[in-house]
Amino acid sequence: MKRRTITDITRVEGHGGISVDIKDGKILDIKVNVYEGPRLVEQLVVGKSPRDVLNIVPRICGICSLSHRYAALLALEKALGVKVPKATEMARNLMLIGEILQSHVLHLYFLALPDFLGYGSSIDLIDNHEDLIMLSLGLKSFGYRMNQVLSGRMVHGENPVLGGFGLFPERSALLELKEKSQEFIAMVQSTIELFASFEFPVTYDKEITFMCLNPTDGEYAYLGDSVVVSDGTEWGIDDYKEYVKEYVVPYSSAKRAKYKGKPFTVGALARINLLGERLTGEAGRYYKSLYSNNWKANPLFTNLAQAIEVLHCLESVPKLVDRIIKLKEPGIVEAELDSGASVGAVEAPRGTLYHYYEIENGLVRSCDVVTPTAQNLDDIEKSLKIAGEQLISLDSMDKLESTLEMITRAYDPCISCSAHLIRINYTDKDS
Amino acid sequence: MRVLWMEKGKLKEFFYSMKAFGELWGPIQKGKTRIYGKAENFSDLKLEPGRTALPIKKLIHPSKFTMFKYDKQEYSTKLENIPRRVILGVSPCDIHGLLKLDEIFLEEEPDPYYEKRRDNTAIIGISYCKPCCDSCICQSMGTDVVDEGYDLFFSDLEDFYLVWVGSSLGDDLVRLNPAVFHDDIDRTKLEKFVECKKERDKLFACSIDMDVLPDIMELSYDSPIWDELGDKCLECGACTMVCPSCNCYNVIDEVYLSEGKGKRFRYWDCCIFKEYSLVAGDHNFRENRGERLRLWYGHKLNSFGPYGRPACVGCGRCVDACPVDINVLTVARALLESK
Amino acid sequence: MLNKKRIGIYSFTGCSGEQLVILECGKYLLKLYEVVDIVGFPMAQSKNTIMDLDIALLEGSITTESQLAELKEIRDSAKTLVALGTCACYGGIQSMKLGEGDWKKRFQEVYGADDKLYNKMKPMESKPCNEFVTIDYYIPGCPMDKGQFLHTISHIINDTPPHLYPFPVCTECKWKENDCLLNRGELCLGPLTRGGCGAVCPSHNIPCVGCWGPAEVTNMPSEYKLLLEKGYSQIEIFRNFRKFGGTPMVEKLKNMMEKLR
Amino acid sequence: MHEKEENSNPYLPEHARIVRKYNLSSDVRFFQIRYVDMDRALTMKYLPGQFMMFSVPGVGEAPFSISSTPSRPGLLEFCIREVGDVTSALFKLKENAIIGIRGPYGDGFPLDDIQGHDLLIIVGGLGAAPLRSLLLYALDNRDDFGKLYLLHGARTPEDMLFREEFLEMMERDDLNCLLAVDEDPTGKWKCHIARVTDLFDHVKDIDIENTYAAVCGPPVMYKFVLEKLVNIGIPKNQILMTLERRMKCGMGKCGHCVVGDIYTCMEGPVFSYWDVLNMKGLI
Ligand SMILES: Cc1cc2nc3c(=O)[nH]c(=O)nc-3n(C[C@H](O)[C@H](O)[C@H](O)COP(=O)(O)OP(=O)(O)OC[C@H]3O[C@@H](n4cnc5c(N)ncnc54)[C@H](O)[C@@H]3O)c2cc1C
Ligand code: SF4
Ligand code: SF4
Ligand code: SF4
């Protein structure tokens, strides 16, 4: 038996590898191992105050730290009876949009694009595709500027606190975001067209099970109290533990999740498949012209889905800003309770993110975090197997390797966060 | 000195007319604090008793700035980029603070950065019939009144201003809109001025006995007070940053990624930091925090600068800034009690 | 430049924040690629090595045997080692319970009593890089600041010593003209925390949580007493000191308690 | 290339070339430098005891005492010990390299006061840097001074800065050159094996009341030497010493060198023992 290990999938965030077992020219097994060392974040927050939680959990992942912060805020606020004003809520949504934008841009231009154009890194693109590089740098800076305005800094901004913002974003800064967001629209449109022109090396015919939050207001948005599934079911986020079942595999430090005993996918592709009809503006136009049944089966469409979401995010900025600045500047709402338990969920760039906290006398008793990448890992393995079987006949190991990497990357796995989704069972019950 | 008066309502008009000189600045509100900031509108200005977080020194001796750039060929400064500014609403103690800094930066070899900013800044002082706050000690320091260091000085006497013209630049500013000034100062106006000052004198809540303090300071060199204070001091630097008469700075070189280019920049330093007086061989002339505090209070309460006078201008900022309550008032009190 | 320096950027246990900061350096990143050979940067490029390095930039703390082995290999192959971010410099949040109770038991509470994964992963409690190898320069911060990164890396590339601020957060907080939170009764770690972030949090009315790690010279006993006076409990104060304090804080707390006894 | 103009920015260094450099001991190196601008090189005026700020772009600045004498214009000489950033960078530079310098700064030795008097120059270790300047100046203007003594102590012969130069001076009859080492592992040392303070036994025929003493050395040396000088009766205001402090500007602006309200860079680095007794914290 020959065993190939593609150690350290490069150009994803964190540490992961794919191992492929091949026997007699046949793929026996493909596994995604997550090597990342343990941090036991959910355990670190036990015995801490809600404020401490908000300092700690964003550090699970640098790229989606605000999603973690937001999910934790929603859970903690619900548990402690805090209801924030509309302006606070909308500013937080704007913050989430900034993060999705910035994360997608990193994935599309820095991690995925070199694959499609055949380069080793995005920096290598500089000679022949300077415009793309400059666009990506500009867009990314804009995403970080959004993070800065709303959360206080580029990464791990502490400004969003329980009940509101330490310092509510200034009107002038919000208006600056509104104006600046429009500069990129045309260029992002051409990026969508570029991604639409790429040929995929693998074909898929089996439909994927998708899942995402169902925004209550009927818009294409990243928040909701219930989850829609492509099989037609819908359930409230409070029940997430029943539907998103976690389990451990012995070859990886990350937990996995199954829905009704089967793998499923969350993230941009899931959202576009489930909510795409709701897209408006230019993003809506691109959705209508590009969407096809293939999007239901082939994970490589994630790239296009993300590109459309980038456009959608840019188009959403002015609308949100206009709504925020019409409202009175909100203060910080103090917590009424010091005990309680609740779930908070947001659509992070890579998909649905759940945070659960149980607070007793002002301190955390237990915590559970389920990250999008954890939910995707099984499907990543599944689609790698399908691809592997198609490609093994080519008998080119290099092609096999690079394609498997490319598919893994399409899921945009944030492996550094997937390592932290281990559920903690100790809840101090026996102590 | 030429003294004029102005109707209360005319200041706004005069303020805008000074735009001809440069950017318009003054005390404005930023979140929970008041700062000297750019005032787009006259209504942004907080023209009432109260203190800014940092003194006016931040505009003349900025907390950090590039001194010059270098490349393989030469060292170059761009002093011509320093903007011209009018600052309306500078407190007397802050003007005294500038006078202290002038002694350091303008005498002997003038510091071109300070000099240029000083020249490009029109200082328009203001005083009210009330002290700025409860921790003002300017009366004890003799800095509640000021007769130099400004271009114009406004005494807010409730229904009108008395305006002192302190420099030729001040005179130029008046000429920008002479119609709003009057020079017929009658007796009632002067009486109002005297009355107002008397009223204010009664309202100061804090004082330091500066007749004896410099000597006591001198005699307390070996006092255990310094060690006690040193044990408490957080070494955070807050007192020196906010003090109008603290001038110390550090210098650091920065290189650019490309070879051979870089810049040298300056940022506020603080004598309370351990590293401040460290020399080769890790020898430190002021190893203990107590010794470092003694140096600082020596400057503030006894002798500083070429003329050897106390540097404290009584602004009270250190009183508000220090989290562990080490400031000119508490130190003075401790010294007086311990003797 | 005739001989371009060979640089590698490697990551251990952390959130990848530092690598993101590097990627956000924009035109300076392009410049960096111009003036040095980036031979290792797994997050951003496909071809990577750890051989013959002039400078290795390390992110994250060490939490498994294999990371430790890799760290040692990198130390052997690199002339200069730079720790990026609070995880690599001090251990990061994952070190906040360092030394508290039995770590293996904690691990098992999470992963189950079955030792299969434990034996495979060979994990250990998080420690910063300098617990195992010599580190030449430190750029703390959670995540580090772009400006401080560029300053340090430019100096190292040009063989001149970098200078990061030696003072605590309060100094910059004063430059920013904030109202002092400690004076308002908040549990602010500004006086104990290394400056360099620009006092971001106090500038947003949020007490500093210490993410730049402990400043070298501080007066911790005084801050501790002050916080007790303000009504915080010892547990609460220590919890905050340790949040980002990593290994140096363990030492500092021990010294402080001895002193106070 | 940049030229110093009148009223130009005093913080901007001027270019100077390292003409020659060699080791004086294992960690001290001799630097001979010259302004790139020849006019400037020939017209520069300074006093023994003054210092210059050396600038290595990208690294920073540090003060160094001038070791050469103004009586020999053109070249400036320094001896520099490798202790930190700027000094290490200087050590790495090759001959012909360009550095930045500015100065001279500080108050040098009060030559007007010293002239006409006997002079004891007492050197320990790196104290040779400023005192060599005074010594060479006195030798070049020999008639202006009375009796002239050099008392120079080092740990071993290897550590004695300017060893050869001073050994040659022993031949002179207008200078009493007393050289001592604490120990002599080489076994070849022909002069004293003693402490600097022991050399005072060999100081004869000076008019104590009218003698000036100039001292520079490591902090420990001051204690013993000063005591000795006071004991033999040299007036305290005629005992001169140069002191070291951290300095960032050299012009009394940055504050680092301050002692009490005295800026060492402006009112020093030369102080009298009387100053020291009056200003707590000077040494
Ligand atoms: C008037 C005067 C004349 C002098 N003349 C001479 C002379 O002729 N020859 C000579 O060799 N020296 C002389 N010196 C001393 C010399 O200027 C200092 O040793 C200077 O510090 C060397 O600069 P550097 O950059 O190499 O050292 P630095 O890098 O500044 O380090 C020097 C020492 O300062 C401390 N230090 C500095 N920065 C830090 C920091 N950030 N953190 C911790 N410690 C720090 C350390 O203890 C270190 O050993 C003179 C000094 C003065 C004031
Ligand atoms: S010592 Fe205190 S009161 Fe005096 S000027 Fe400085 S900050 Fe103001
Ligand atoms: S708010 Fe915090 S960081 Fe700022 S001065 Fe006060 S204690 Fe220091
Ligand atoms: S203020 Fe404190 S917590 Fe906030 S970024 Fe700075 S060091 Fe980190």
Short mmCIF file of all heavy atoms in Angstrom, two decimals, chain B residues 275 278-282, chain D residues 51 62-65 79-81 83-88 126 129 243-247 269, ligand 1:
data_model
loop_
_atom_site.label_atom_id
_atom_site.label_comp_id
_atom_site.label_asym_id
_atom_site.label_seq_id
_atom_site.Cartn_x
_atom_site.Cartn_y
_atom_site.Cartn_z
N GLU B 275 14.66 53.23 32.24
CA GLU B 275 15.60 53.25 31.13
C GLU B 275 16.16 54.65 30.86
O GLU B 275 17.22 54.79 30.25
CB GLU B 275 14.85 52.76 29.89
CG GLU B 275 15.69 52.15 28.82
CD GLU B 275 15.43 52.81 27.49
OE1 GLU B 275 14.37 53.41 27.31
OE2 GLU B 275 16.32 52.73 26.64
N LEU B 278 19.74 55.23 32.15
CA LEU B 278 20.65 54.08 32.07
C LEU B 278 21.83 54.42 31.16
O LEU B 278 21.67 55.01 30.12
CB LEU B 278 19.85 52.93 31.45
CG LEU B 278 20.28 51.51 31.68
CD1 LEU B 278 20.22 51.19 33.16
CD2 LEU B 278 19.37 50.58 30.91
N VAL B 279 23.04 54.04 31.58
CA VAL B 279 24.20 54.22 30.69
C VAL B 279 24.94 52.90 30.54
O VAL B 279 24.52 51.87 31.07
CB VAL B 279 25.18 55.31 31.19
CG1 VAL B 279 24.51 56.66 31.22
CG2 VAL B 279 25.74 54.96 32.55
N ALA B 280 26.07 52.96 29.83
CA ALA B 280 26.81 51.75 29.50
C ALA B 280 27.09 50.91 30.75
O ALA B 280 27.27 51.44 31.84
CB ALA B 280 28.12 52.11 28.80
N GLY B 281 27.13 49.61 30.54
CA GLY B 281 27.43 48.70 31.63
C GLY B 281 26.25 48.55 32.57
O GLY B 281 26.42 48.16 33.73
N ASP B 282 25.06 48.90 32.07
CA ASP B 282 23.84 48.81 32.88
C ASP B 282 23.93 49.62 34.16
O ASP B 282 23.26 49.33 35.15
CB ASP B 282 23.50 47.35 33.21
CG ASP B 282 22.74 46.71 32.06
OD1 ASP B 282 22.23 47.47 31.22
OD2 ASP B 282 22.68 45.48 32.00
N PHE D 51 32.80 67.24 23.58
CA PHE D 51 32.46 65.97 22.94
C PHE D 51 31.65 66.20 21.67
O PHE D 51 31.19 67.30 21.41
CB PHE D 51 31.69 65.07 23.91
CG PHE D 51 30.35 65.62 24.34
CD1 PHE D 51 29.19 65.26 23.65
CD2 PHE D 51 30.23 66.48 25.43
CE1 PHE D 51 27.95 65.76 24.05
CE2 PHE D 51 29.00 66.99 25.81
CZ PHE D 51 27.86 66.63 25.12
N ALA D 62 25.32 58.76 19.64
CA ALA D 62 25.90 58.66 20.98
C ALA D 62 27.03 59.68 21.10
O ALA D 62 27.66 60.04 20.10
CB ALA D 62 26.42 57.26 21.24
N PRO D 63 27.24 60.18 22.33
CA PRO D 63 28.29 61.18 22.54
C PRO D 63 29.65 60.55 22.77
O PRO D 63 29.76 59.51 23.44
CB PRO D 63 27.82 61.88 23.81
CG PRO D 63 27.02 60.86 24.56
CD PRO D 63 26.45 59.92 23.54
N PHE D 64 30.70 61.17 22.23
CA PHE D 64 32.06 60.69 22.47
C PHE D 64 32.99 61.88 22.67
O PHE D 64 32.93 62.86 21.93
CB PHE D 64 32.56 59.82 21.31
CG PHE D 64 31.71 58.60 21.12
CD1 PHE D 64 30.77 58.57 20.10
CD2 PHE D 64 31.83 57.52 21.97
CE1 PHE D 64 29.96 57.45 19.94
CE2 PHE D 64 31.01 56.40 21.82
CZ PHE D 64 30.07 56.37 20.80
N SER D 65 33.86 61.75 23.66
CA SER D 65 34.81 62.82 23.94
C SER D 65 35.86 62.89 22.84
O SER D 65 36.29 61.87 22.33
CB SER D 65 35.54 62.54 25.25
OG SER D 65 34.62 62.40 26.28
N CYS D 79 38.47 57.69 21.11
CA CYS D 79 38.59 56.26 21.42
C CYS D 79 37.27 55.81 21.99
O CYS D 79 36.68 56.45 22.85
CB CYS D 79 39.77 55.93 22.31
SG CYS D 79 39.97 56.94 23.72
N ILE D 80 36.83 54.71 21.45
CA ILE D 80 35.45 54.29 21.67
C ILE D 80 35.39 52.85 22.13
O ILE D 80 36.04 51.98 21.56
CB ILE D 80 34.65 54.48 20.36
CG1 ILE D 80 34.56 55.99 20.06
CG2 ILE D 80 33.25 53.87 20.49
CD1 ILE D 80 33.94 56.34 18.76
N ARG D 81 34.62 52.63 23.18
CA ARG D 81 34.47 51.26 23.69
C ARG D 81 33.15 50.69 23.16
O ARG D 81 32.13 51.36 23.15
CB ARG D 81 34.46 51.27 25.21
CG ARG D 81 33.99 49.93 25.80
CD ARG D 81 34.08 49.90 27.28
NE ARG D 81 35.48 49.92 27.70
CZ ARG D 81 35.89 50.38 28.89
NH1 ARG D 81 35.03 50.86 29.73
NH2 ARG D 81 37.17 50.35 29.19
N VAL D 83 29.99 49.06 23.54
CA VAL D 83 29.07 48.71 24.64
C VAL D 83 27.64 48.51 24.18
O VAL D 83 26.84 47.90 24.87
CB VAL D 83 29.04 49.79 25.75
CG1 VAL D 83 30.36 49.86 26.47
CG2 VAL D 83 28.65 51.15 25.18
N GLY D 84 27.28 49.09 23.05
CA GLY D 84 25.86 49.05 22.69
C GLY D 84 25.66 49.23 21.21
O GLY D 84 26.55 48.90 20.40
N ASP D 85 24.51 49.77 20.87
CA ASP D 85 24.09 49.83 19.48
C ASP D 85 25.01 50.68 18.60
O ASP D 85 25.54 50.21 17.60
CB ASP D 85 22.66 50.38 19.39
CG ASP D 85 21.66 49.47 20.09
OD1 ASP D 85 22.05 48.31 20.37
OD2 ASP D 85 20.54 49.91 20.35
N VAL D 86 25.16 51.95 18.97
CA VAL D 86 25.93 52.85 18.11
C VAL D 86 27.39 52.42 18.07
O VAL D 86 28.01 52.38 16.99
CB VAL D 86 25.81 54.31 18.60
CG1 VAL D 86 26.70 55.22 17.78
CG2 VAL D 86 24.37 54.77 18.55
N THR D 87 27.92 52.09 19.22
CA THR D 87 29.33 51.71 19.25
C THR D 87 29.58 50.44 18.43
O THR D 87 30.56 50.38 17.68
CB THR D 87 29.82 51.54 20.70
OG1 THR D 87 28.86 50.78 21.42
CG2 THR D 87 29.98 52.88 21.37
N SER D 88 28.69 49.45 18.53
CA SER D 88 28.90 48.24 17.72
C SER D 88 28.83 48.57 16.24
O SER D 88 29.60 48.04 15.44
CB SER D 88 27.83 47.18 17.99
OG SER D 88 27.57 47.08 19.32
N LEU D 126 38.99 54.17 30.23
CA LEU D 126 38.51 54.97 29.11
C LEU D 126 38.62 56.48 29.38
O LEU D 126 38.40 57.29 28.50
CB LEU D 126 37.05 54.59 28.82
CG LEU D 126 36.51 54.89 27.44
CD1 LEU D 126 37.35 54.24 26.36
CD2 LEU D 126 35.07 54.46 27.33
N ALA D 129 40.20 59.03 27.01
CA ALA D 129 39.60 59.70 25.86
C ALA D 129 39.63 61.22 25.99
O ALA D 129 40.27 61.89 25.19
CB ALA D 129 38.19 59.18 25.62
N LEU D 243 32.32 63.82 33.36
CA LEU D 243 31.32 62.83 33.77
C LEU D 243 30.54 62.30 32.57
O LEU D 243 30.42 62.94 31.54
CB LEU D 243 30.34 63.47 34.76
CG LEU D 243 30.97 64.01 36.04
CD1 LEU D 243 29.91 64.62 36.92
CD2 LEU D 243 31.72 62.91 36.79
N GLU D 244 29.98 61.11 32.78
CA GLU D 244 29.18 60.51 31.72
C GLU D 244 27.71 60.47 32.10
O GLU D 244 27.37 60.21 33.24
CB GLU D 244 29.67 59.09 31.44
CG GLU D 244 29.05 58.54 30.17
CD GLU D 244 29.13 57.03 30.04
OE1 GLU D 244 30.08 56.43 30.58
OE2 GLU D 244 28.23 56.47 29.40
N ARG D 245 26.86 60.74 31.16
CA ARG D 245 25.42 60.60 31.34
C ARG D 245 24.84 60.14 30.02
O ARG D 245 25.48 60.22 28.98
CB ARG D 245 24.78 61.95 31.72
CG ARG D 245 24.88 62.30 33.18
CD ARG D 245 24.11 61.31 34.04
NE ARG D 245 24.11 61.65 35.45
CZ ARG D 245 25.12 61.46 36.29
NH1 ARG D 245 26.26 60.95 35.86
NH2 ARG D 245 25.01 61.78 37.57
N ARG D 246 23.61 59.66 30.07
CA ARG D 246 22.93 59.34 28.82
C ARG D 246 22.58 60.66 28.15
O ARG D 246 22.15 61.61 28.80
CB ARG D 246 21.66 58.58 29.16
CG ARG D 246 21.09 57.74 28.06
CD ARG D 246 19.85 57.07 28.60
NE ARG D 246 19.08 56.46 27.56
CZ ARG D 246 19.21 55.17 27.25
NH1 ARG D 246 20.08 54.42 27.87
NH2 ARG D 246 18.45 54.66 26.31
N MET D 247 22.78 60.75 26.84
CA MET D 247 22.48 61.99 26.13
C MET D 247 21.85 61.70 24.79
O MET D 247 22.28 60.80 24.08
CB MET D 247 23.77 62.78 25.87
CG MET D 247 24.36 63.39 27.10
SD MET D 247 25.91 64.20 26.75
CE MET D 247 26.43 64.57 28.43
N PRO D 269 30.63 68.40 30.18
CA PRO D 269 30.77 67.28 31.11
C PRO D 269 31.91 67.48 32.11
O PRO D 269 32.12 66.64 32.96
CB PRO D 269 31.06 66.09 30.19
CG PRO D 269 31.70 66.70 28.98
CD PRO D 269 31.11 68.06 28.82
C1 LIG E 1 30.12 63.45 27.40
C2 LIG E 1 30.31 62.00 27.11
C3 LIG E 1 31.49 61.58 26.54
C4 LIG E 1 31.68 60.24 26.24
N1 LIG E 1 32.85 59.86 25.69
C5 LIG E 1 33.05 58.58 25.35
C6 LIG E 1 34.23 58.17 24.72
O1 LIG E 1 35.10 58.95 24.44
N2 LIG E 1 34.37 56.88 24.42
C7 LIG E 1 33.40 55.96 24.70
O2 LIG E 1 33.58 54.79 24.37
N3 LIG E 1 32.27 56.32 25.30
C8 LIG E 1 32.07 57.60 25.62
N4 LIG E 1 30.90 57.98 26.21
C9 LIG E 1 29.92 56.96 26.52
C10 LIG E 1 29.06 56.59 25.32
O3 LIG E 1 28.48 57.71 24.77
C11 LIG E 1 27.98 55.62 25.76
O4 LIG E 1 28.56 54.43 26.17
C12 LIG E 1 26.94 55.33 24.70
O5 LIG E 1 25.83 54.80 25.35
C13 LIG E 1 27.34 54.35 23.67
O6 LIG E 1 26.27 54.27 22.75
P1 LIG E 1 25.71 52.92 22.21
O7 LIG E 1 24.61 53.24 21.29
O8 LIG E 1 26.78 52.08 21.66
O9 LIG E 1 25.17 52.23 23.48
P2 LIG E 1 23.67 51.97 23.85
O10 LIG E 1 23.08 51.05 22.87
O11 LIG E 1 23.02 53.24 24.10
O12 LIG E 1 23.92 51.17 25.17
C14 LIG E 1 24.78 51.62 26.15
C15 LIG E 1 24.31 51.10 27.47
O13 LIG E 1 23.15 51.81 27.78
C16 LIG E 1 22.20 50.96 28.28
N5 LIG E 1 21.04 50.99 27.40
C17 LIG E 1 20.84 51.80 26.37
N6 LIG E 1 19.65 51.64 25.82
C18 LIG E 1 19.06 50.68 26.50
C19 LIG E 1 17.80 50.06 26.40
N7 LIG E 1 16.92 50.40 25.47
N8 LIG E 1 17.48 49.11 27.29
C20 LIG E 1 18.36 48.76 28.23
N9 LIG E 1 19.58 49.32 28.36
C21 LIG E 1 19.94 50.27 27.51
C22 LIG E 1 22.84 49.65 28.41
O14 LIG E 1 23.29 49.57 29.73
C23 LIG E 1 23.98 49.66 27.50
O15 LIG E 1 25.06 48.92 27.98
C24 LIG E 1 30.69 59.31 26.54
C25 LIG E 1 29.51 59.72 27.11
C26 LIG E 1 29.31 61.06 27.40
C27 LIG E 1 28.04 61.48 28.02
#
